[in-house]
Amino acid sequence: KIKAVTPSLCFSLQYKQPSILQGRTDVVTVTPWLAPVVWEGTFNPVLLDSIYRPRNITVAATVFAVGKYDVTFLKDFLETSEQHFFVGFKVHVYVFTDGAKQVPQVKMAAGRQLTVRSVPSSRRWQEISARRMEMIQTLIEELRNSTDYIFCLDVDSKFHGHWGVESLGSLVAVIHPGYYRDDRSRFPYERRPTSRAYVAPGEGDFYYCGGAFGGRLQEVHLLAKTCRANFEADAKDGIEAAWQEESHLNRYMWTNKPSKVLSPEYLWQDFKSRSPEVHIVRFSGVIKNYAEVRPN
Ligand code: U5P
């Protein structure tokens, strides 16, 4: 008698036998709250693709290009995302910009699309950075039901290597490349208790990037809504957190632990030489002249 087998378990794929004894030993691959920390060598991209492909998921990405940022960075960001970001999956990139006419034409593969949304220009870069949460919140309210996951990414960055379904989770944070060797007392959290982004001494897990985060729509919506509300309440009290939305994001991730943590491979900085544990740089912030690109 032949037993029934669920179709999703019928793998014809051949792949290397997994081991719980061998693997990366130079880095930590799980947090104390049991969220995976994604490093090269901890996952099999072919296996993961074969699991996710039948699910027919859609991934949205938001990117903001306001002021001088669009002309300078958008082309590279969009072109390299075509080469590396969720290749073979349905991807919808949303560009928020005050220069819609200058958005470069980039050829996108089947199943991938770009939507440009006009936003007002702003005098202060801190304000541009801060208003991202508000726009992400609003976008998610429109997208619900049509999209499964969303990533919010900095435009002054480029993809260099595979960024795919291994990064998916309900709430996903990326460890900042600048501080992961440091004691938490040195993390640039907001340290004034009057701010809603405050993280007390002795608290905080990692220092996460404001330049890349994501997850399921509902989770990212709650994050964006909370960070926006806290930012605005702070503004009413005349306080702006040390690193604007990045500070609020870090405060949020302290009380709402991410379900997946991406290693600094997922947001390196071009000016930093690569550390031995970083076997691949998938995405990195480009070197920029702050005086040139920031309005003031
Ligand atoms: N940003 C702009 N224009 C600005 C400042 C910031 O579009 O004048 C957006 C970009 O998407 C940038 C992100 O990647 O905010 C974070 O800013 P920064 O911290 O990289 O300067």
Side-chain angles (χ1 to χ4, degrees):
K1 198 176 163 197
I2 300 168
K3 272 198 195 155
V5 179
T6 4
S8 60
L9 296 177
C10 279
F11 271 133
S12 50
L13 192 71
Q14 297 282 314
Y15 57 91
K16 191 171 169 260
Q17 180 188 347
S19 170
I20 57 162
L21 301 174
Q22 283 170 346
R24 290 287 298 254
T25 51
D26 57 336
V27 287
V28 171
T29 59
V30 66
T31 68
W33 59 94
L34 296 179
V37 185
V38 184
W39 293 94
E40 176 71 352
T42 61
F43 62 92
N44 179 333
V46 179
L47 171 58
L48 276 169
D49 277 2
S50 76
I51 295 169
Y52 277 86
R53 194 145 288 138
R55 298 187 192 172
N56 201 23
I57 54 163
T58 300
V59 179
T62 61
V63 65
F64 290 77
V66 184
K68 290 184 188 165
Y69 273 56
D70 57 345
V71 199
T72 331
F73 305 113
L74 204 45
K75 191 164 184 287
D76 274 353
F77 176 91
L78 293 171
E79 282 178 358
T80 58
S81 72
E82 276 297 292
Q83 292 156 18
H84 303 291
F85 186 68
F86 286 94
V87 174
F89 287 87
K90 284 196 280 176
V91 172
H92 197 150
V93 180
Y94 293 86
V95 173
F96 293 81
T97 183
D98 58 348
K101 289 201 182 100
Q102 294 154 35
V103 172
Q105 297 280 324
V106 171
K107 198 173 172 315
M108 299 187 86
R112 300 172 74 94
Q113 54 176 318
L114 180 85
T115 297
V116 179
R117 300 207 160 186
S118 288
V119 299
S121 308
S122 192
R123 276 175 297 118
R124 296 178 65 239
W125 63 264
Q126 292 92 335
E127 196 177 300
I128 297 168
S129 174
R131 290 209 55 216
R132 287 200 291 180
M133 288 296 186
E134 177 191 337
M135 292 183 234
I136 292 164
Q137 179 191 343
T138 316
L139 176 70
I140 295 176
E141 284 160 13
E142 290 170 34
L143 295 185
R144 281 202 170 139
N145 306 327
S146 68
T147 307
D148 302 286
Y149 296 93
I150 186 164
F151 281 96
C152 309
L153 305 168
D154 267 7
V155 72
D156 48 330
S157 331
K158 260 195 235 183
F159 293 88
H160 307 272
H162 172 92
W163 178 326
V165 295
E166 76 285 353
S167 66
L168 297 177
S170 49
L171 183 63
V172 182
V174 181
I175 299 205
H176 196 293
Y179 304 95
Y180 67 94
R181 291 173 177 277
D182 293 341
D183 188 86
R184 50 158 68 126
S185 61
R186 294 171 60 98
F187 292 170
Y189 291 143
E190 173 54 56
R191 298 299 189 183
R192 293 165 295 177
T194 42
S195 167
R196 285 148 189 90
Y198 175 64
V199 179
E203 294 186 345
D205 301 303
F206 302 107
Y207 190 75
Y208 301 109
C209 295
F213 57 91
R216 282 266 182 203
L217 264 67
Q218 207 185 343
E219 290 282 343
V220 181
H221 183 258
L222 187 59
L223 175 149
K225 196 174 146 194
T226 309
C227 290
R228 175 197 174 180
N230 288 340
F231 188 93
E232 288 175 0
D234 267 12
K236 279 210 180 93
D237 291 344
I239 186 160
E240 183 174 272
W243 289 99
Q244 298 83 35
E245 60 166 13
E246 185 170 86
S247 304
H248 287 279
L249 176 107
N250 271 282
R251 177 69 181 78
Y252 186 88
M253 296 287 183
W254 163 240
T255 37
N256 304 270
K257 307 286 192 225
S259 62
K260 189 167 272 184
V261 173
L262 305 182
S263 70
E265 295 165 3
Y266 288 81
L267 188 38
W268 197 247
Q269 285 166 327
D270 283 354
F271 65 79
K272 271 174 79 73
S273 56
R274 202 194 292 182
S275 309
E277 64 277 6
V278 174
H279 294 180
I280 176 176
V281 171
R282 304 173 192 281
F283 186 59
S284 73
V286 302
I287 296 168
K288 65 187 172 194
N289 179 343
Y290 280 92
E292 234 170 59
V293 294
R294 282 183 168 165
N296 49 43

